[in-house]
Amino acid sequence: MPLLPYFDKSLDGHRPRPLKQWLWKSYFSAALVPLLLIEVGFLAIYWGTSELVFKKGAEAVTGLATQALTDATQREAETISARLQAVASLTDVFASETQRALASPADVGPEVMDRYAMSADGVFHTTRDDGGAALYYSGIVPVGEAEIEKVRRTERLDPIMAAIVKAEPLVQQVYLNTFDSMNRIYPYFDVMQTYPPKMDIPTYNFYYEADPEHNPEGKVVWTDAYIDPAGAGWMVSSIAPVMGPEKLEAVVGIDVTIGAIVTEVLNIALEGDGYAMLVGRDGTLLALPPQAEGDLGLTELIEHSYEHAILEDTFKPSEFNLFRRADLSALALAMEAEATGGIGVDLGRPMIASWSTVAGTDWHLIALASQSSLLAETYSLRTTLWNINQIMLVGLVIFYLGFFAVLRRRSNAMSEVMARPLADLEERMMRIAGGETALPLQRSDVTEVQRANDHLMEMAAQLDAAARSKAAFLSAVSHELRTPLNAIFGHSQLLRLSAGKPLDGDRMRHVDGMAKAGRDLLGIVEQVMDMSAIERGQVSDKMRDVPLAPLLAEAVEDQRPEALKTNVTIKADLPDQPLSVWTDPSLLSRIVGHILGNAVRYNRPDGSVSISVRQAHADWLELVIADTGYGISADVQDRLFDPFDRLGRENGVISGIGLGLTISQRLAAVLGCTLTFTSEEDRGSVFVLRIPKSKASLA
């Protein structure tokens, strides 16, 4: 009986597969599938890491861009502050000249008064333009001889007003307003066509914001944006009071139009599509360039058409106030909390906003730029990486399709080589099954059988070698991939575990303590570096005429936070008239900061510190800083300026290393100044810094 039915099925009942199919499936499942999975996994890891690198890169670039914007706003805010300070300084000078003019007898001839006339409504006014200012006495207070005398006295101010307008491009107009509603304004215009009769000038913000109630310090102040009743449109004003013997006599002002600010001030080049805006003290947008109008849905109020005279103060509408806009309220609150910084905002597209405070006005300069413009290169890199990923994927698919085709052909060829001797053996077995004489399975003298056996042995050896090569290959690939994979997985785990968590109160206090200690240490290091630079002769001075009052005011403000800790009062008695000295403002600020800082830190609780200026000599000014502290005993006063000598306070609670006064004395020598002191134990100390008023004083 033939044995074919028996050999047609395996012992478990499943039909056996041809050698060709079995060999291909075994090779595919044992070698190709794992290799393909590894390649796909590697590609997926590459994609994932590329995306992670992009996100981290975007975060880094965003941080750098925010810092760059912040740095830019700080620089530009300083520039704007200088421009506005120039206007404020001119306002201060004009106020002084106005005070002098009002207090001096008139020196004008009758021909000058020919250009004035009294209207039927009781308005005393100019009638023609002779190159000077226009005048409008509203008549709300009857204009008599005393009032006309005031007009004569202020006539001498016209050249000064013209010089101010000519000196500073930002200035639109200069004016003088008195308590009895006299308005002298330059450049000239037809006041009778613009102003209403009986106009009560002290009720306007450009007058009352400078009065003693709103400006008790009597300094130059800036108004918020308003519509000018003289018809010049939207503007801000630098105003200053002019005090008489008993009351506020007048308010002087210099107007800067919003259009001038946009043109002269906000012409700032920023990264990407960035632009700058100027914001007032109350959060009102004072000026914004055309680029901002689309993002904010606003049109800057530069021009204003008057159909009739403005009878009341008119300020910018609510949509120009950051606090009243949902899209910018977070920015407004952040600016209220910090003098400088940066946050993200959404104005229909993701934006980065940075701001800085304009010194002297408490305005804020805001820089805005879209994230897409700042991250353009990063997005370009991401697109490039994505294209590379796609090319890699297409290349991998093509490679494996070709590789599979080659392997399939190779598998078929190998199966044929292996199946031929097996077919011979099968044929021999079939012949034996057919009743032929069974021969023992031993070496045969029949060449075909022996050759088949040899081929089978050779094939077995080749398969064994191939298996060993495959095992070695997989082992090598596994080892070589495991190392970078472990590194990738490890770094990924570390990133997940390092996700930020909010700090609780105690941890925040620890962080604050660390920050304070860091600031103290930084201060010590800076003092040591300053001392080292001085000893090496590496301190360079940049001497020039410097207004003294603003420098001293800034030094006082810098020390107020420290003074509040022990309730120490700082009293600044600064001169009303502008005084300048010949010095390097940076080095002089450091000297005053060290002396004033010591006076605050070594004072008694609830003590006081006074700072004043006196004219001791024609060539010198003396800056006097006195405190009510514990004083310095006479036996150690000769060591006061010795470096690192804290006069027995080395173990006290006040931090320091004893270099502040040493640095001050040596910097004073660099500037041509002298620093002296007197002190009485338990009574306090007085430090006197003598400063040259001009370059000639140093000769």
Side-chain angles (χ1 to χ4, degrees):
M1 185 177 79
L3 299 177
L4 185 57
Y6 175 79
F7 290 104
D8 195 49
K9 291 186 179 181
S10 63
L11 295 176
D12 59 2
H14 293 284
R15 185 181 298 276
R17 290 167 295 186
L19 180 59
K20 183 186 299 185
Q21 294 182 7
W22 180 87
L23 183 61
W24 170 252
K25 182 176 180 180
S26 298
Y27 189 73
F28 187 86
S29 60
L32 295 180
V33 170
L35 186 60
L36 182 61
L37 291 177
I38 291 173
E39 292 287 352
V40 173
F42 176 75
L43 193 59
I45 292 170
Y46 179 78
W47 285 342
T49 52
S50 297
E51 188 67 18
L52 181 62
V53 168
F54 165 76
K55 290 181 179 178
K56 293 300 179 182
E59 291 175 2
V61 171
T62 301
L64 292 174
T66 302
Q67 185 60 48
L69 279 179
T70 302
D71 293 343
T73 56
Q74 288 178 329
R75 291 193 304 270
E76 296 299 335
E78 292 172 0
T79 302
I80 294 171
S81 177
R83 294 290 302 273
L84 297 180
Q85 183 59 43
V87 175
S89 298
L90 291 174
T91 307
D92 194 33
V93 170
F94 184 41
S96 298
E97 293 300 321
T98 300
Q99 187 176 44
R100 185 178 295 109
L102 291 174
S104 304
D107 57 357
V108 298
E111 69 280 359
V112 174
M113 300 304 293
D114 289 344
R115 73 186 187 110
Y116 294 94
M118 185 78 73
S119 73
D121 296 326
V123 176
F124 192 69
H125 61 93
T126 50
T127 59
R128 68 178 183 273
D129 182 7
D130 64 351
L135 182 127
Y136 184 85
Y137 228 135
S138 74
I140 193 170
V141 174
V143 179
E145 184 56 37
E147 287 73 25
I148 294 177
E149 172 64 17
K150 187 183 299 184
V151 173
R152 294 192 185 99
R153 293 185 178 187
T154 58
E155 180 74 24
R156 70 189 68 180
L157 295 175
D158 286 13
I160 299 174
M161 300 168 79
I164 290 174
V165 172
K166 183 178 180 180
E168 174 53 58
L170 280 178
V171 174
Q172 171 73 19
Q173 55 194 18
V174 184
Y175 59 83
L176 159 66
N177 292 316
T178 64
F179 72 94
D180 52 358
S181 295
M182 181 190 78
N183 171 253
R184 180 175 287 276
I185 186 166
Y186 182 89
Y188 183 91
F189 61 91
D190 188 351
V191 292
M192 294 299 289
Q193 295 297 321
T194 305
Y195 292 147
K198 304 298 185 289
M199 183 171 65
D200 190 3
I201 290 179
T203 62
Y204 284 76
N205 71 308
F206 49 78
Y207 188 96
Y208 64 70
E209 288 188 14
D211 65 22
E213 179 183 355
H214 297 88
N215 183 23
E217 298 180 4
K219 60 182 182 180
V220 176
V221 294
W222 286 87
T223 69
D224 291 319
Y226 66 94
I227 294 178
D228 176 35
W234 290 94
M235 61 175 51
V236 293
S237 296
S238 170
I239 56 177
V242 178
M243 299 302 298
E246 299 178 355
K247 63 181 178 181
L248 177 66
E249 281 290 331
V251 171
V252 299
I254 296 179
D255 289 341
V256 177
T257 64
I258 298 301
I261 293 177
V262 172
T263 302
E264 296 285 340
V265 177
L266 295 186
N267 187 19
I268 301 171
L270 297 172
E271 293 292 334
D273 56 358
Y275 54 84
M277 305 185 301
L278 203 59
V279 179
R281 295 184 298 270
D282 63 347
T284 297
L285 285 164
L286 298 181
L288 65 158
Q291 304 97 299
E293 296 179 356
D295 286 331
L296 302 181
L298 298 173
T299 300
E300 178 56 286
L301 303 177
I302 295 177
E303 303 295 338
H304 187 85
S305 175
Y306 282 80
E307 297 179 357
H308 54 79
I310 301 299
L311 302 180
E312 298 179 356
D313 294 343
T314 304
F315 299 97
K316 281 195 171 183
S318 60
E319 58 266 26
F320 280 80
N321 191 292
L322 269 61
F323 287 99
R324 299 182 182 182
R325 294 180 60 102
D327 53 355
L328 292 175
S329 59
L331 173 60
L333 293 173
M335 289 195 307
E336 191 176 42
E338 299 289 342
T340 184
I343 62 171
V345 297
D346 189 348
L347 299 178
R349 53 178 177 149
M351 306 280 284
I352 295 175
S354 297
W355 70 89
S356 188
T357 303
V358 178
T361 62
D362 289 332
W363 296 350
H364 289 89
L365 179 68
I366 302 175
L368 281 165
S370 67
Q371 288 188 8
S372 59
S373 67
L374 296 175
L375 299 178
E377 293 186 4
T378 304
Y379 282 114
S380 176
L381 176 60
R382 183 188 194 188
T383 301
T384 301
L385 291 175
W386 177 251
N387 291 336
I388 292 174
N389 289 340
Q390 291 180 316
I391 293 172
M392 289 178 61
L393 178 59
V394 172
L396 189 63
V397 170
I398 294 174
F399 169 77
Y400 271 103
L401 288 175
F403 186 49
F404 287 168
V406 171
L407 288 181
R408 183 66 182 230
R409 288 197 300 269
R410 183 61 179 166
S411 174
N412 292 339
M414 290 177 64
S415 65
E416 290 296 330
V417 172
M418 295 172 63
R420 190 177 297 114
L422 292 178
D424 292 339
L425 291 177
E426 182 184 4
E427 183 180 354
R428 180 179 292 277
M429 292 174 65
M430 291 297 293
R431 286 198 300 266
I432 293 172
E436 297 180 2
T437 303
L439 297 175
L441 293 177
Q442 57 184 2
R443 290 187 63 85
S444 174
D445 295 332
V446 178
T447 303
E448 291 78 3
V449 175
Q450 189 61 46
R451 187 176 297 147
N453 291 332
D454 292 341
H455 285 314
L456 287 174
M457 292 298 297
E458 290 175 2
M459 184 61 71
Q462 292 177 6
L463 289 175
D464 185 59
R468 288 196 300 270
S469 297
K470 179 190 70 176
F473 171 73
L474 292 178
S475 177
V477 170
S478 176
H479 175 76
E480 292 300 322
L481 289 178
R482 186 179 294 112
T483 300
L485 285 175
N486 286 342
I488 292 171
F489 292 146
H491 285 301
S492 177
Q493 185 66 18
L494 287 175
L495 287 173
R496 288 196 296 270
L497 293 176
S498 63
K501 299 179 180 178
L503 298 174
D504 56 24
D506 289 337
R507 292 182 180 179
M508 182 60 75
R509 284 190 290 274
H510 293 326
V511 171
D512 290 341
M514 291 168 63
K516 182 182 183 301
R519 288 193 297 271
D520 292 343
L521 181 58
L522 177 60
I524 293 171
V525 171
E526 288 177 345
Q527 288 188 19
V528 173
M529 292 177 66
D530 284 346
M531 191 66 186
S532 175
I534 293 171
E535 291 178 346
R536 294 195 305 270
Q538 295 180 349
V539 177
S540 61
D541 60 276
K542 298 178 181 178
M543 307 289 281
R544 57 185 174 87
D545 281 318
V546 177
L548 186 59
L551 187 147
L552 298 180
E554 182 177 357
V556 169
E557 292 304 314
D558 288 343
Q559 296 299 327
R560 289 201 187 278
E562 185 69 25
L564 290 175
K565 296 179 181 179
T566 53
N567 202 26
V568 172
T569 303
I570 302 179
K571 304 174 181 177
D573 183 13
L574 304 180
D576 293 333
Q577 69 275 19
L579 295 177
S580 63
V581 292
W582 182 259
T583 188
D584 181 327
S586 175
L587 299 184
L588 183 60
S589 294
R590 287 155 68 179
I591 296 172
V592 176
H594 283 308
I595 299 174
L596 195 58
N598 277 5
V600 171
R601 289 187 290 116
Y602 290 100
N603 212 319
R604 306 171 187 271
D606 300 318
S608 65
V609 176
S610 65
I611 179 170
S612 59
V613 178
R614 63 192 183 195
Q615 180 76 55
H617 189 272
D619 295 332
W620 303 87
L621 288 179
E622 288 187 346
L623 175 62
V624 182
I625 300 177
D627 64 67
T628 60
Y630 298 100
I632 306 169
S633 61
D635 57 335
V636 298
Q637 288 186 7
D638 59 338
R639 294 158 40 199
L640 182 64
F641 296 111
D642 292 346
F644 304 108
D645 191 343
R646 299 192 64 197
L647 308 183
R649 293 188 173 92
E650 290 81 0
N651 298 320
V653 298
I654 301 175
S655 62
I657 57 173
L659 281 179
L661 291 178
T662 306
I663 293 173
S664 297
Q665 186 191 48
R666 298 190 183 183
L667 289 180
V670 171
L671 299 177
C673 304
T674 58
L675 178 61
T676 59
F677 77 98
T678 57
S679 183
E680 185 176 348
E681 195 168 8
D682 293 327
R683 296 290 298 274
S685 304
V686 178
F687 285 80
V688 179
L689 180 66
R690 192 171 68 169
I691 313 170
K693 293 178 62 178
S694 64
K695 186 176 182 179
S697 304
L698 296 173

